[in-house]
Amino acid sequence: MCWAGRMMLGTFSTLLVLVHTAAAAACEFGPFPYRATGIVCRMTKPAALLLNQETAQVIQAAFRSAKFPNITGERSMRLLGRVAYGLSNIQVNDLSIERSEVELKEDNAIHISIKNVSALFKGTLTYGYSGAWFLQLSHSVDFEIESSIDLQLNINLMCQKQQVAPDASDCYLAFHKLTLHLQGDKQPGWLKQLFTDFISFTLKLVLKRELCLRSCVWCEVFVFLPAANFVRDKDIIVDISLASDPVITANYIESHHKGLVLYNNTSSVLSDSVFSPSLLTESRMLYFWISEHSLSSLAAAAFLDGRLELSLRGDKLQELFEMEDTEAQQKAVQRIFQGTSYNDSVAKVWSLSQPQISLQPEGTVVRSSVAVEVSILLAGEEPLVALYMEKEITLTIQATYAEKKLILQPVDSRLVLFSLEKMKVFKCTADPSGEDPSIQSFLQNMILVAGIPEVTSRIGSTLTSLMNSKGLDLFDIINPEIITRKGYIIAQLDFGFPSHLLLNFLEKSL
């Protein structure tokens, strides 16, 4: 999304990172660009209307705090010689906007009409007369200028170096009124008529420059310009550069991004995306479409980066083992740990292989080989492995978004009982046969209660950090839904523009 204020640069990072237009000379995508699309964002007309409504307040506040440059000029007048003038200390009072309208055009442009911008400019007029060799400004008078202006701003979105480049140079002003009053005198006079003729043209040029510049704050709220084509969480990088030209219709703006994951100078490759514009609707404000390939690549990078590992000791370990405070469970714990304290023991759960991700209507199906190890730490000796096992697991995860966080919740674990023949590897000094029910219960807790939720929580935290790095958490997210389909996932939501965000933006950008 564009954004003159650095606040907004952060704000629409997960949100409007995705709006753009491609200039053919700058970005070439080939004949089948959708095939390389891993992430899609669609922002609909209701979102554009909301942003336009809120940005009218930004424009008003921007004008009230604007510092207009001094205006100077000089003219030759018959009998008077050369007349020089200057307008200084220009301030804006009583500014109002009757209405602001936005249209999405299929010519890859956003048309913004700001109707009847009424403003009262105040300042000081200094003037004087001079001969050929000497100039002396010897008179000054306070002035007011009443104005009524219509503004038409056409924002063309272009692609440069795979990034969004908005062009707001197509800006038109129509003056319905531009009336000069000197020292509160509302009646025409020779001085007023003289300087109205002198300064009206210059003032119009200055107003056009300032109005168009300030009104492009709307661009800043609408079109996000990321500082780079990537978002990063430590060593995991997601390529969000453009994968194809955007689609702008009367109802939505849609942008397409590669969604490739880079890790250790290695990038995933996508050439068979299933994306089609028909997969998204227009009933919500904002949509994110994410391919199975992008999620699988992210899980692979998390595995290679050692993020799918969990170690517990001390209080965390005690909390886990006392979750089922039964006599059988306590006996199993004592047998495994051989009377050693929790502070002198460590339990580990980790993924032995890269998780296989499959997106299905019931959720995200994850298949992986998991290991569990419990070690006793002996002073001055090598750790004693009291228990070790490996097992193939399959579970289904459903995603929700609540309280500004992405939550991945296991809803189905297709885990059979931990009988020995169902395990790839099983070693336990307290239960060599692998038939003790209490130890089977202990292992089940290790994986189902601690291991899997903790690992999915870490992946959810990583994804949340990536979204929040672009400022999604700054907005009021309304009724978010995450829908899983075969081969892709859709996140759809409405959003609000909270007052604190508007105030922060004003403080940063004005």
Side-chain angles (χ1 to χ4, degrees):
M1 316 156 195
C2 158
W3 318 33
R6 294 189 178 179
M7 172 65 185
M8 279 304 174
L9 283 173
T11 295
F12 272 87
S13 151
T14 295
L15 276 188
L16 303 175
V17 64
L18 306 160
V19 180
H20 56 273
T21 289
C27 301
E28 296 290 343
F29 298 110
F32 306 107
Y34 283 169
R35 291 184 179 179
T37 297
I39 298 174
V40 177
C41 175
R42 174 178 290 186
M43 186 171 68
T44 61
K45 185 66 177 288
L49 294 175
L50 172 67
L51 292 174
N52 185 66
Q53 171 187 332
E54 299 296 340
T55 310
Q57 300 181 44
V58 177
I59 294 172
Q60 292 185 33
F63 268 91
R64 293 188 187 103
S65 62
K67 299 185 182 301
F68 286 85
N70 295 338
I71 301 173
T72 59
E74 188 177 78
R75 288 280 188 88
S76 294
M77 296 290 295
R78 185 177 300 176
L79 302 177
L80 296 176
R82 301 190 66 81
V83 178
Y85 61 87
L87 300 178
S88 59
N89 303 321
I90 302 175
Q91 297 177 354
V92 182
N93 293 66
D94 302 326
L95 183 138
S96 64
I97 297 175
E98 182 177 290
R99 69 181 185 275
S100 180
E101 301 171 349
V102 59
E103 289 185 86
L104 307 180
K105 296 292 187 178
E106 295 187 7
D107 59 354
N108 284 339
I110 304 160
H111 294 195
I112 303 168
S113 297
I114 302 175
K115 302 292 187 180
N116 194 16
V117 180
S118 298
L120 181 65
F121 295 86
K122 293 185 177 182
T124 302
L125 168 65
T126 306
Y127 63 96
Y129 319 104
S130 67
W133 305 104
F134 181 72
L135 173 64
Q136 179 66 49
L137 298 180
S138 55
H139 303 281
S140 64
V141 61
D142 293 335
F143 71 86
E144 292 181 351
I145 299 174
E146 292 182 273
S147 67
S148 180
I149 305 166
D150 285 347
L151 183 145
Q152 177 69 44
L153 184 64
N154 302 319
I155 305 170
N156 294 299
L157 305 174
M158 300 180 295
C159 174
Q160 293 181 359
K161 298 180 180 180
Q162 309 299 324
Q163 297 182 25
V164 185
D167 176 13
S169 60
D170 190 3
C171 179
Y172 299 94
L173 266 66
F175 289 84
H176 302 303
K177 179 193 293 185
L178 190 64
T179 306
L180 175 68
H181 302 297
L182 300 178
Q183 290 183 327
D185 180 12
K186 306 299 183 182
Q187 300 301 318
W190 74 271
L191 188 62
K192 172 183 170 182
Q193 184 62 48
L194 173 65
F195 284 105
T196 296
D197 293 342
F198 278 8
I199 69 175
S200 61
F201 179 74
T202 304
L203 183 60
K204 286 180 180 181
L205 291 179
V206 172
L207 288 180
K208 177 178 180 179
R209 182 179 70 244
E210 292 297 316
L211 271 170
C212 290
L213 175 64
R214 298 292 171 179
S215 297
C216 200
V217 171
W218 202 99
C219 308
E220 306 306 321
V221 179
F222 198 164
V223 186
F224 177 66
L225 281 179
N229 286 324
F230 307 96
V231 291
R232 175 191 294 267
D233 186 80
K234 298 180 181 177
D235 292 331
I236 298 177
I237 303 170
V238 181
D239 182 352
I240 57 170
S241 59
L242 305 184
S244 68
D245 292 342
V247 175
I248 300 183
T249 73
N251 297 321
Y252 63 82
I253 298 175
E254 184 175 278
S255 61
H256 316 104
H257 305 260
K258 294 177 181 177
L260 302 178
V261 177
L262 291 79
Y263 182 78
N264 280 348
N265 297 321
T266 301
S267 173
S268 58
V269 178
L270 175 62
S271 59
D272 57 352
S273 174
V274 299
F275 174 73
S276 168
S278 63
L279 298 177
L280 302 178
T281 65
E282 302 170 15
S283 59
R284 306 297 299 274
M285 287 186 177
L286 190 66
Y287 295 81
F288 291 100
W289 182 95
I290 304 173
S291 69
E292 181 178 284
H293 178 273
S294 295
L295 286 180
S296 295
S297 301
L298 194 59
F303 168 73
L304 295 172
D305 201 45
R307 301 194 189 195
L308 306 187
E309 300 178 3
L310 172 67
S311 293
L312 298 173
R313 62 188 305 172
D315 293 340
K316 288 288 187 180
L317 196 56
Q318 182 177 3
E319 180 181 333
L320 170 66
F321 294 142
E322 294 181 356
M323 192 172 297
E324 291 187 15
D325 192 16
T326 64
E327 183 178 353
Q329 180 75 9
Q330 292 306 311
K331 286 182 178 179
V333 170
Q334 291 174 9
R335 291 172 61 193
I336 293 171
F337 288 92
Q338 303 175 22
T340 307
S341 72
Y342 291 118
N343 289 327
D344 295 327
S345 307
V346 61
K348 297 180 181 179
V349 181
W350 71 96
S351 181
L352 291 167
S353 60
Q354 175 181 320
Q356 302 301 308
I357 305 293
S358 175
L359 296 178
Q360 302 294 335
E362 62 267 23
T364 302
V365 180
V366 182
R367 295 178 176 86
S368 183
S369 180
V370 175
V372 175
E373 180 182 273
V374 176
S375 299
I376 299 172
L377 307 178
L378 303 174
E381 298 183 24
E382 290 293 322
L384 173 63
V385 177
L387 182 150
Y388 178 83
M389 63 151 283
E390 296 177 7
K391 182 172 180 59
E392 296 288 341
I393 66 167
T394 300
L395 69 151
T396 301
I397 297 174
Q398 289 185 351
T400 57
Y401 188 87
E403 297 180 353
K404 307 295 180 72
K405 295 179 181 179
L406 181 66
I407 302 169
L408 305 178
Q409 181 65 43
V411 295
D412 168 43
S413 55
R414 302 170 194 169
L415 288 165
V416 296
L417 290 177
F418 282 86
S419 57
L420 182 61
E421 63 271 15
K422 298 296 183 178
M423 299 184 194
K424 296 172 62 177
V425 178
F426 180 84
K427 298 177 183 179
C428 179
T429 56
D431 181 23
S433 66
E435 297 178 354
D436 189 323
S438 62
I439 291 181
Q440 291 176 13
S441 175
F442 162 78
L443 291 173
Q444 197 143 318
N445 277 340
M446 277 290 296
I447 292 179
L448 294 181
V449 179
I452 291 173
E454 181 69 19
V455 170
T456 55
S457 175
R458 292 185 182 189
I459 295 176
S461 296
T462 298
L463 291 171
T464 299
S465 296
L466 287 173
M467 293 187 294
N468 291 346
S469 69
K470 295 301 179 182
L472 183 61
D473 57 326
L474 298 175
F475 288 82
D476 291 334
I477 306 302
I478 301 170
N479 191 24
E481 296 179 89
I482 299 179
I483 303 169
T484 309
R485 295 288 183 261
K486 184 174 177 56
Y488 62 90
I489 190 169
I490 297 173
Q492 56 189 35
L493 55 93
D494 297 324
F495 63 88
F497 206 107
S499 57
H500 73 268
L501 181 60
L502 188 64
L503 292 174
N504 287 341
F505 171 65
L506 294 175
E507 292 174 0
K508 296 281 187 178
S509 63
L510 299 183

